[in-house]
Amino acid sequence: MEVVTQKTAQTSIKPVKHLSPWAIARRKFLRNKIAMVSFVFLMFVIIVSFLAPYITTQDIVKVNIGQMSLDPSGDHWLGTDKSGRDVYTRLLYGGRVSLLVGISCTLFVIVLGTIVGAVAGYFGGTVDNALMRFTDFVLNFPFLVFVIVLKTIFIDVSGLWILILVIGALSWGGIARVVRSKILAEKENEYVLASISIGCSPAKIIMKHLLPNVLSTIIVQATIVFAGMIVAESGLSYLGFGVPAEIPSWGNMLSFANEPDVLQSKPWMWVPPALAITLTILSINFVGEGIKDALNPKSRR
């Protein structure tokens, strides 16, 4: 009987599955209700904005004097602006532009900052000093003033991609510093020393060994940068130095509504883009916090 009982106990024991760190992080993120709601909302905004041409057929540029400053109605869900253009249509297209600027600037900043930080952290010495002094030089520029100056200089060729290039070129310093500090800590581990001893090239060590181990930090920083880039585009466009006036963006919509009469009696012109910016930024920040908690081994959520 004892032998049978032991066999039964052995056969009833099931092997325990060991989840990877990324699988654990995914499960923790899915359990974070605030982060998930924010993620769903953010995906909804992105999808709706980029599908704007298929959702609405209203003209976003044509001035219609006969429909200036109309109240919200069945024909114009969010009313019209001072030029007779449909606010709902411009809100969708404006989100498309603002998100495009935010995503493009984020990719530019993350790639450039990661490259500079990884090279500086891995090689150290003279290379580190040179790259970090150049990073300090870039960070010392007053961001808003320098963007305005560059946009004024390149006024003849100003456009969306010039704005993305200018913002990205002035915003990568913080990422470079964060990545450098992480690489400095990681490169002292035994697996890196073993890779060096067997003759692996620096590029291979950085790409295949170091960067995967600091990827979680880069992802969290990317969410912070994404929110910051949308705020930067909106602020610059509001001041008239961002997205060209003929291209609708959330910042441009706020800029066009910058009059006492509009602010007091025509809220449909400025409340929708203001809410869109606020809710999108909050969603990105909540998603970033959720990712940060999910990738933190000490978090129990």
Side-chain angles (χ1 to χ4, degrees), residues 8-212:
T8 304
Q10 291 175 358
T11 55
S12 62
I13 297 175
K14 295 181 180 180
V16 179
K17 290 184 178 180
H18 295 284
L19 297 176
S20 67
W22 290 105
I24 296 173
R26 184 175 64 252
R27 292 178 63 178
K28 289 164 67 176
F29 182 79
L30 292 174
R31 292 173 183 170
N32 190 329
K33 294 181 180 179
I34 297 178
M36 282 303 302
V37 171
S38 300
F39 179 77
V40 171
F41 175 79
L42 185 60
M43 290 297 103
F44 172 77
V45 171
I46 292 174
I47 292 172
V48 169
S49 296
F50 283 94
L51 291 180
Y54 304 98
I55 296 175
T56 178
T57 57
Q58 296 277 357
D59 197 316
I60 59 174
V61 178
K62 184 179 179 180
V63 175
N64 193 335
I65 299 177
Q67 296 185 345
M68 294 172 59
S69 302
L70 295 180
D71 294 346
S73 62
D75 295 329
H76 303 284
W77 293 355
L78 297 177
T80 60
D81 61 11
K82 296 179 296 182
S83 299
R85 298 169 298 192
D86 186 67
V87 174
Y88 170 70
T89 301
R90 289 179 63 81
L91 183 70
L92 295 183
Y93 277 89
R96 194 181 186 188
V97 173
S98 295
L99 290 170
L100 177 62
V101 172
I103 293 171
S104 301
C105 288
T106 300
L107 291 175
F108 185 94
V109 167
I110 292 298
V111 170
L112 184 57
T114 299
I115 292 173
V116 173
V119 172
Y122 178 79
F123 289 101
T126 304
V127 175
D128 183 23
N129 288 330
L131 289 176
M132 285 301 101
R133 296 300 74 77
F134 179 68
T135 302
D136 293 338
F137 175 75
V138 172
L139 289 173
N140 282 333
F141 281 113
F143 176 80
L144 185 60
V145 175
F146 201 66
V147 169
I148 292 174
V149 170
L150 287 180
K151 285 288 291 182
T152 304
I153 293 173
F154 294 107
I155 191 170
D156 294 333
V157 292
S158 61
L160 198 59
W161 295 107
I162 291 295
L163 177 66
I164 292 171
L165 181 62
V166 171
I167 294 178
L170 296 174
S171 306
W172 56 268
I175 300 298
R177 283 184 168 182
V178 172
V179 173
R180 170 185 174 271
S181 64
K182 292 294 182 180
I183 294 294
L184 284 173
E186 283 291 328
K187 75 174 186 178
E188 301 299 328
N189 290 327
E190 293 181 356
Y191 70 90
V192 176
L193 300 177
S195 300
I196 296 173
S197 65
I198 62 175
C200 289
S201 64
K204 185 176 182 180
I205 294 173
I206 292 173
M207 295 298 296
K208 291 191 175 182
H209 298 291
L210 290 175
L211 286 184

Side-chain angles (χ1 to χ4, degrees), residues 213-249:
N213 285 287
V214 300
L215 185 60
S216 59
T217 301
I218 296 174
I219 292 174
V220 173
Q221 290 297 314
T223 61
I224 299 173
V225 172
F226 185 24
M229 294 299 101
I230 293 179
V231 172
E233 180 278 322
S234 300
L236 289 169
S237 296
Y238 179 78
L239 295 174
F241 296 97
V243 177
E246 65 271 12
I247 302 176
S249 76

